[in-house]
Amino acid sequence: MILVTGGAGFIGSNFVLDWLAQSDEPVVNLDALTYAGNRANLAALDGDARHVFVHGDIGDRALVDGLLATHRPRAIVHFAAESHVDRSIHGPGAFVKTNVEGTFTLLEAARGFWNTLDGAGKAAFRFHHVSTDEVYGSLKPSDPPFAETNPYEPNSPYSASKAASDHLVRAWHHTYGLPVLTTNCSNNYGPYHFPEKLIPLMIVNALAGKPLPVYGDGRQIRDWLYVKDHCSGIRAVLAGGRVGETYNIGGWNEMANIDIVHTVCALLDELRPDPAGPYARLITHVTDRPGHDRRYAIDARKIERELGWRPAETFATGIRKTVQWYLDNAAWVANVQSGAYQDWIGTHYSAR
Ligand SMILES: NC(=O)c1ccc[n+]([C@@H]2O[C@H](COP(=O)([O-])OP(=O)(O)OC[C@H]3O[C@@H](n4cnc5c(N)ncnc54)[C@H](O)[C@@H]3O)[C@@H](O)[C@H]2O)c1
C-alpha cells in the first residue's frame, strides 16, 4: 500500500481517486482537514476498504510513526501543504509550520521506518515529494522555461517554504540515503479545486453574478496543467523515476491570467448563458498581489525523455471539462463556500 498526505485537498484527492480507479493497491490517506481539505472530494470512496482515511497532522510524529509501523507502506506520496500564495502573504507562519516543519517531521518518520526495512524493502521504498514550479522564481518574457537545473529563487512565503521543503528532501537523500523523488509542477486546474484560486473563483463568481477580480493588468503568465495529467506524471515518476532526481511537470501551455478569465467567460457564455449579458462584463481589475511573479514556464522534457510522460489534455479540452464539472457540481461548490470561505474572500478582496 501507499501512504498519501494531503489526500483530501485538490490535487491529493484527484490523485487518490485516480490511483484507486487504476489499481487495487490500498491508500492510507493522512489529512489534517484544514480549510482546504474536504472529505466530500472522496465521497466516491465511502465504504471502499482500499481507502483508509486518517484525520491528523503530518507534524504529529507519534501518529505518523504509528501509521508507518501499522501499514508498512512501500511509498509515501507527500501532497500535504499550505498552498495558497495570498494566504501566505497574510499569515506566513502556517506555511513554515506545515511545509517546512511538517515535511521535516515526515522525513524523519520515513527515515526511522525505512531503517527498519531489509535490503530489498529499503531499495524499493520511495518518498515522493510533490512540489511547485514557483520555487524557481519569476521569468522574464524572453527567458527559457524552468529546467530542473534552474537555481532556486522563491519570492513568496509560500514558494520559500516549498523551496525549503525541497531542500530538506534532497538532503535526506544525500545524507541518509532515503530514496526520494521530487516533482515540481506548474499551475493545476480541474475538479475539486478550492474556489479561492483563479479558475474556480472566476467560475463560481461568474455564476453568482459577482465581480471577477483580476490582479493588476492580468498579464501574469503561468503554465497550466489539467490536474489528472499532474496525477499521471506523479504515477510515472513514482514508478520509474531515478532516485534522488527531480522532475518538472508542465503542460507546455503558457497563458496570461486575463486570457484564462476570458476563456472561462466564453465557455460559460456557451454552456450557461446569462440573460444579463456576456460574463466578461463582470471582469474587474483589482490591486495586484505584492511581489507578484510575472511569468512561470516549465520545461518538461526530462520526464518526457526518461519516462515517456506527456499531458493527455490540451488547455482547450481540460478547461472545458473543468467548467462543465463546476456546472455539474453546484452542491459541492455550495458546500465548500462555508462561512470561513466567505470571510476570507471578503477580507482579501474588499480592500483592493
Ligand atoms: N495547486 C497547484 O497548482 C499546485 C501546483 C504544483 C504543486 N502543488 C503542490 O501540490 C500539493 C497539493 O496542492 P493542492 O493544490 O492540492 O493543495 P490544497 O491546499 O488544495 O490541499 C492541501 C491538503 O493538505 C492538507 N493539509 C494541510 N496541512 C496539513 C498538515 N499539517 N497535515 C496533514 N494535512 C495537511 C489540507 O487539509 C488539504 O487537504 C502541495 O504540496 C502544493 O505545494 C500545487
Side-chain angles (χ1 to χ4, degrees):
M1 53 82 62
I2 61 168
L3 173 67
V4 168
T5 72
F10 163 47
I11 305 172
S13 60
N14 276 286
F15 180 82
V16 171
L17 291 168
D18 287 2
W19 182 272
L20 291 175
Q22 304 197 2
S23 95
D24 281 331
E25 186 174 14
V27 175
V28 172
N29 184 351
L30 172 62
D31 196 296
L33 294 179
T34 67
Y35 78 94
N38 188 353
R39 287 289 311 258
N41 298 2
L42 301 159
L45 298 175
D46 283 350
D48 189 328
R50 299 172 305 162
H51 179 239
V52 178
F53 185 80
V54 180
H55 183 192
D57 196 313
I58 56 166
D60 182 342
R61 177 68 193 268
L63 172 68
V64 178
D65 281 347
L67 289 176
L68 293 174
T70 306
H71 297 285
R72 308 190 64 75
R74 70 167 176 95
I76 297 173
V77 186
H78 177 34
F79 293 93
E82 291 290 340
S83 70
H84 188 33
V85 176
D86 287 332
R87 288 185 189 252
S88 83
I89 296 167
H90 288 278
F95 288 71
V96 173
K97 184 130 195 68
T98 287
N99 300 0
V100 186
E101 293 176 26
T103 300
F104 163 73
T105 303
L106 197 63
L107 281 167
E108 279 293 80
R111 182 165 77 93
F113 170 68
W114 181 70
N115 276 327
T116 67
L117 301 176
D118 61 16
K122 272 196 167 116
F125 186 81
R126 295 289 182 272
F127 184 104
H128 187 131
H129 178 57
V130 179
S131 193
T132 166
D133 62 351
E134 303 196 24
V135 298
Y136 297 121
S138 185
L139 292 169
K140 296 190 180 61
S142 57
D143 286 342
F146 300 128
E148 290 81 357
T149 47
N150 270 54
Y152 272 36
E153 293 177 349
N155 291 320
S156 73
Y158 165 64
S159 54
S161 68
K162 289 298 290 188
S165 67
D166 291 10
H167 290 323
L168 291 177
V169 171
R170 176 188 162 88
W172 259 240
H173 174 64
H174 284 274
T175 303
Y176 304 114
L178 190 69
V180 306
L181 299 158
T182 297
T183 44
N184 295 86
C185 186
S186 55
N187 276 31
N188 286 212
Y189 66 97
Y192 303 112
H193 206 182
F194 195 72
E196 64 183 355
K197 307 270 174 89
L198 179 72
I199 289 177
L201 180 68
M202 296 303 138
I203 298 171
V204 303
N205 275 18
L207 291 173
K210 291 182 179 166
L212 307 180
V214 173
Y215 286 139
D217 61 5
R219 302 300 320 163
Q220 306 87 356
I221 293 173
R222 303 288 180 261
D223 175 70
W224 292 90
L225 182 68
Y226 191 60
V227 63
K228 288 177 183 303
D229 281 327
H230 185 189
C231 296
S232 73
I234 292 170
R235 290 197 302 274
V237 172
L238 185 61
R242 285 184 290 133
V243 164
E245 293 287 317
T246 69
Y247 293 85
N248 285 351
I249 305 180
W252 298 106
N253 179 67
E254 284 184 57
M255 277 183 85
N257 284 351
I258 189 71
D259 297 331
I260 296 274
V261 176
H262 278 289
T263 303
V264 167
C265 288
L267 276 168
L268 285 172
D269 287 338
E270 175 194 328
L271 298 169
R272 182 70 59 83
D274 183 350
Y279 287 101
R281 76 188 190 283
L282 300 169
I283 292 173
T284 312
H285 290 267
V286 300
T287 311
D288 206 353
R289 169 191 282 169
H292 205 171
D293 290 337
R294 284 304 275 185
R295 176 176 169 242
Y296 307 137
I298 278 275
D299 178 342
R301 280 178 296 179
K302 180 176 173 182
I303 186 174
E304 182 179 349
R305 191 175 59 244
E306 292 191 11
L307 301 171
W309 176 87
R310 289 278 300 178
E313 302 290 344
T314 63
F315 187 71
T317 59
I319 192 68
R320 180 175 285 275
K321 286 183 179 175
T322 303
V323 171
Q324 190 64 57
W325 187 88
Y326 279 84
L327 290 173
D328 293 343
N329 288 276
W332 181 92
V333 173
N335 182 262
V336 298
Q337 289 181 306
S338 65
Y341 169 81
Q342 295 300 347
D343 290 349
W344 157 257
I345 293 290
T347 313
H348 183 64
Y349 286 104
S350 63
R352 306 185 98 89

